[in-house]
Amino acid sequence: MTAEKSALIKALRSEGNGIICPVLKKTIPFGVVYHHSGLTNAERKLIEEAFLSGTLCCICCTSTLAAGINLPAQRVIIRSPYVGKSFITLSQYRQMIGRAGRAGLESSGESFLICQPSDTEKVGHLLSSKMERCCSQLQNNDFSCFVMSLISLELMADKNSMIDVMKKSLLYMQSKLLGINIEQYLQNTLDLLMSNGVIEIHNEKFILQSFGKAAVKGNLPFEVARELYEDLKEAQNSLVLVNDLHLLYLVTPYSVLEDLNPTFDVIWNVFSEMNSKNMQVARTVGINEAIVHRILAQRSIKTLPEKILKRFFVSLILHELWTGQNVWSVSKKYKLSRGFVYNLLSTSSSFASSVLRFCEVMVELKCFVDLLGKFPQQLGFCCSPELLPLLELPSVNKGRAKLLFNAGFKDLSMIAKSDPETLAKSVYYLPIKHAKKIIEGAKLLQLITFETLQDEVDILREGINVSIS
C-alpha cells in the first residue's frame, strides 16, 4: 500500500473519531472506493480529492449520484440502464457518460452501458430519442414565497405588474402544457396571503406586512412560516431550559420528517432511555408518559400528531450530536446512514439561521434572537469552540480542523505564516494544492480582520478628534 493510500485511510479514520468503514479499509489499498449518500460530506471530500490526485483509480456509486458526481474520469461503466426502478432517461445517460474524457482534462474518454437482451430495444430507442423537455418547477414549490419575495424587492406593486413579471417566466410559457391558468393561480395565492394578513393593499399597491417581511428574510414559504410562528409562540409560554433540547426542537427542520420512518426497536431504545430532563421537554411539546407507554406497547396514538413525534425524535438525534457524540455512534444507534445524520446537521444549521432571521423581524419573538444566536454556527460544525476559526478556511472540515489544531496550527495567524509543504506534511492526506488554498484563505481572513479593525480605529479617531503620528 502506498503512502498516499495509507494517509487517506488515516484521514478517514480521523473524520470518524477513530472509526473507518471496514469496506473502505479493505478496498482503498486497491485504489477502489464507494461513493453514495451514506457518506458524510467530509468523507466524500477526501474521496474526491484522492480520486482527482490519482491515489484512487475507481469509484463505485449509485445511479443517482453518478448523474451528479462532478469528477472527470477516463472511463464510465453503467452496469444497468435503470435509475432505481425507472428506465434511464436520455438526459441522465448523457450526464453520467459526460464524466468520461472531460474537455481540457483528458484527450479522450469512453463509456460502456451494460444491459440485458430484453432491454436492448429500449436502449436503442433511448439513444435515438430527443432530449426530454425541461419543465418549470415553480408550481411545485411554494408559490407564495416567490410572490412575497417579489413584493419585498418592489418588483411587483399591483396585480398587473405581477402578471407582467409572470409572463417572463418559464411557468407562463408552459402554462398550457401544464394545464395552469396563471392569472387564477396568482389570484389564489394573493387571496391566501391577504386573508392571513401577510399582505395588504394601500392605494392599489401591495404592501408586505411584518409577518411577510419576516418570512422573506428567513426565506420561508408561507405555510412553514405560519407553523414556525405558532410553535415559537407556544414555546414562549413554557420554554424548558434545563438543557438545549427544547431549543434544538424549535430549530429542527420540518422538511426532514417526510423521509424519516424509524423502526420500532429504535423507538423503543430511544424513548425507554430518556432521562428526566429530556422527558420534561417531551411533556412540554405534548409527549407525556402515557403516550410514551403507548409507543413502547406499539399501540396507535390518536391524541398526538405524527409530525410532533417525528420532530421530537429528530431533535433527540441533534441533541446527541450537540453534546459531543460522533456521527458514527449516532447513526448506529438510530439506524440511519452517516450521510443522513451529517446532512441533518447542515439542514438544521440552515433552518436555525432562517428561524433567527424570522425572529429578528417579529417583535414579539425577539427573545429568541439571543437564545438561538449561536445555533446556526454550532449546529453546522458541532465541535469545540477553538476549532471554529479554522473551519472558516477553504478545504477544512471538522476532522481536518482537529488535525491542524493538534499539529500546532491553533489559529489563523500560524497557518498564514506557514508554507504549503510544512502544512501538507503535518496533516493526513492534505494535497499541496489544498494546502496552498488553506494558507491563502488564512491570509485573506487575516487581511479582512485587519481592515475591519483599521476602519474601527479610524472611526474612533474621528470621534475623539485625535491624530496619531
Side-chain angles (χ1 to χ4, degrees):
M1 183 167 58
T2 63
E4 290 81 5
K5 291 173 183 174
S6 178
L8 176 59
I9 290 175
K10 289 179 180 178
L12 287 168
R13 184 177 283 113
S14 175
E15 287 295 340
N17 284 356
I19 305 172
I20 183 173
C21 172
V23 174
L24 291 178
K25 187 178 179 180
K26 289 181 180 179
T27 61
I28 286 175
F30 298 96
V32 180
V33 292
Y34 64 78
H35 190 295
H36 58 54
S37 59
L39 294 170
T40 67
N41 287 350
E43 289 171 331
R44 291 184 202 180
K45 185 79 174 174
L46 285 169
I47 286 173
E48 290 167 8
E49 288 175 357
F51 184 77
L52 288 170
S53 66
T55 302
L56 300 174
C57 59
C58 179
I59 292 183
C60 304
C61 56
T62 59
S63 54
T64 306
L65 273 173
I69 190 171
N70 187 27
L71 291 175
Q74 179 67 34
R75 182 180 297 108
V76 172
I77 302 173
I78 305 172
R79 71 171 192 170
S80 173
Y82 288 88
V83 176
K85 295 183 179 180
S86 303
F87 195 78
I88 194 172
T89 65
L90 185 60
S91 62
Q92 289 171 329
Y93 174 70
R94 288 190 175 181
Q95 184 77 353
M96 290 182 191
I97 66 172
R99 308 299 174 223
R102 295 281 287 274
L105 297 171
E106 299 284 351
S107 57
S108 63
E110 55 189 17
S111 65
F112 297 86
L113 174 59
I114 302 172
C115 58
Q116 298 296 324
S118 57
D119 290 326
T120 52
E121 187 175 348
K122 287 184 180 179
V123 171
H125 287 310
L126 172 75
L127 298 177
S128 59
S129 64
K130 294 182 179 179
M131 189 69 71
E132 58 267 23
R133 186 188 299 272
C134 178
C135 291
S136 171
Q137 296 298 302
L138 188 58
Q139 85 282 5
N140 293 333
N141 298 321
D142 195 298
F143 189 67
S144 61
C145 188
F146 176 68
V147 172
M148 288 188 296
S149 296
L150 290 178
I151 296 174
S152 174
L153 295 170
E154 299 182 355
L155 296 175
M156 302 193 314
D158 50 37
K159 187 177 178 181
N160 291 332
S161 63
M162 290 183 182
I163 293 174
D164 289 339
V165 171
M166 290 305 302
K167 285 181 178 179
K168 299 174 183 177
S169 68
L170 178 61
L171 180 62
Y172 180 84
M173 302 297 177
Q174 296 180 334
S175 56
K176 290 184 179 179
L177 177 69
L178 299 173
I180 295 175
N181 184 318
I182 292 295
E183 291 193 25
Q184 186 61 50
Y185 193 56
L186 178 60
Q187 186 61 55
N188 292 341
T189 303
L190 291 172
D191 290 343
L192 172 69
L193 296 177
M194 283 190 289
S195 64
N196 285 277
V198 179
I199 58 176
E200 291 184 359
I201 299 178
H202 293 289
N203 299 325
E204 298 184 351
K205 291 185 178 181
F206 291 108
I207 304 296
L208 205 61
Q209 300 303 296
S210 58
F211 183 89
K213 292 177 182 177
V216 170
K217 189 171 182 181
N219 195 28
L220 298 169
F222 167 69
E223 293 295 342
V224 175
R226 181 167 62 180
E227 187 173 8
L228 174 65
Y229 178 79
E230 292 172 356
D231 286 345
L232 293 172
K233 288 296 290 183
E234 185 176 350
Q236 278 184 321
N237 297 322
S238 53
L239 187 61
V240 180
L241 296 176
V242 292
N243 57 18
D244 291 318
L245 179 58
H246 199 176
L247 292 175
L248 287 169
Y249 175 83
L250 294 175
V251 298
T252 298
Y254 305 102
S255 59
V256 302
L257 307 182
E258 296 178 4
D259 300 326
L260 186 70
N261 292 297
T263 58
F264 171 72
D265 59 324
V266 172
I267 295 174
W268 170 275
N269 291 333
V270 169
F271 282 96
S272 62
E273 292 176 2
M274 273 202 303
N275 58 38
S276 59
K277 292 182 179 180
N278 290 355
M279 194 63 222
Q280 188 176 344
V281 178
R283 283 194 295 268
T284 304
V285 300
I287 306 173
N288 56 34
E289 285 83 350
I291 289 176
V292 171
H293 287 310
R294 293 187 71 87
I295 293 170
L296 298 181
Q298 291 185 281
R299 298 169 65 183
S300 61
I301 302 170
K302 298 179 181 179
T303 57
L304 181 73
E306 185 183 19
K307 179 178 283 189
I308 292 178
L309 188 62
K310 280 189 173 184
R311 197 174 184 213
F312 182 72
F313 182 84
V314 175
S315 68
L316 288 172
I317 299 175
L318 287 175
H319 190 252
E320 297 238 17
L321 297 166
W322 184 267
T323 54
Q325 297 298 317
N326 63 68
V327 172
W328 274 89
S329 61
V330 173
S331 62
K332 184 178 180 180
K333 177 178 178 179
Y334 289 84
K335 292 189 177 180
L336 298 167
S337 71
R338 302 194 307 281
F340 177 88
V341 175
Y342 191 89
N343 289 334
L344 174 61
L345 282 174
S346 175
T347 307
S348 301
S349 173
S350 177
F351 187 68
S353 181
S354 295
V355 173
L356 193 61
R357 292 195 296 267
F358 180 82
C359 293
E360 286 173 350
V361 178
M362 300 298 291
V363 177
E364 63 269 40
L365 299 176
K366 285 275 188 170
C367 58
F368 288 105
V369 175
D370 291 331
L371 289 170
L372 301 174
K374 295 182 179 180
F375 272 56
Q377 188 180 31
Q378 289 184 342
L379 272 173
F381 300 121
C382 270
C383 65
S384 51
E386 63 267 16
L387 297 181
L388 291 177
L390 300 181
L391 288 164
E392 297 180 25
L393 296 168
S395 300
V396 173
N397 47 43
K398 184 177 176 180
R400 190 164 280 175
K402 284 183 181 178
L403 292 172
L404 285 168
F405 190 86
N406 293 335
F409 299 97
K410 299 183 183 297
D411 54 47
L412 298 180
S413 62
M414 297 181 72
I415 295 176
K417 295 174 184 176
S418 180
D419 60 272
E421 290 77 11
T422 303
L423 198 65
K425 290 178 181 178
S426 303
V427 178
Y428 294 135
Y429 205 79
L430 178 61
I432 291 291
K433 179 176 69 173
H434 291 91
K436 291 179 179 178
K437 285 184 178 180
I438 291 173
I439 292 172
E440 290 171 1
K443 290 180 179 178
L444 179 60
L445 289 172
Q446 289 284 92
L447 180 62
I448 292 173
T449 302
F450 172 78
E451 290 177 347
T452 301
L453 293 174
Q454 187 66 53
D455 291 341
E456 292 178 2
V457 169
D458 292 341
I459 293 171
L460 289 172
R461 186 187 301 167
E462 291 175 4
I464 59 177
N465 196 22
V466 173
S467 59
I468 301 175
S469 55

